[in-house]
């Protein structure tokens, strides 16, 4: 899965908005680095942005497959 971090930028969400939604700075840092985050974090993002998981994520074929 690939998180579409650009969606946050397009919606004018910043680190402060995400922290207000209950997302830790460690999770925000992971998002910026493309690292794994929990489903709970994804749900908090969706709730804060009033969107669905499929709006912020996409499935990408792994080149190693």
């Amino acid at each position: 899965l690939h998180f579409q971090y650009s969606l946050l930028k397009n919606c004018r969400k910043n680190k402060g908005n995400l922290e207000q939604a209950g997302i830790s700075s460690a999770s925000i840092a992971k998002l910026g680095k493309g690292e794994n985050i929990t489903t709970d974090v994804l749900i908090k993002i969706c709730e804060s942005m009033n969107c669905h998981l499929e709006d912020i994520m996409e499935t990408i074929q792994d080149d190693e497959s």
Side-chain angles (χ1 to χ4, degrees):
L1 291 175
H2 175 70
F3 179 76
Q4 296 180 351
Y5 192 71
S6 61
L7 179 67
L8 293 179
K9 293 178 184 176
N10 292 340
C11 292
R12 297 186 181 153
K13 294 287 181 179
N14 60 33
K15 184 177 177 180
N17 294 119
L18 294 176
E19 287 176 341
Q20 287 178 350
I23 300 167
S24 71
S25 58
S27 292
I28 295 168
K30 286 181 179 182
L31 285 170
K33 295 176 187 176
E35 296 178 2
N36 294 333
I37 56 172
T38 66
T39 306
D40 290 340
V41 171
L42 293 172
I43 290 170
K44 287 179 184 179
I45 291 169
C46 289
E47 288 173 349
S48 74
M49 296 176 59
N50 195 27
C51 66
H52 301 281
L53 286 173
E54 60 269 19
D55 296 329
I56 63 168
M57 295 174 53
E58 64 182 350
T59 304
I60 300 175
Q61 176 110 14
D62 189 1
D63 291 336
E64 297 177 15
S65 301

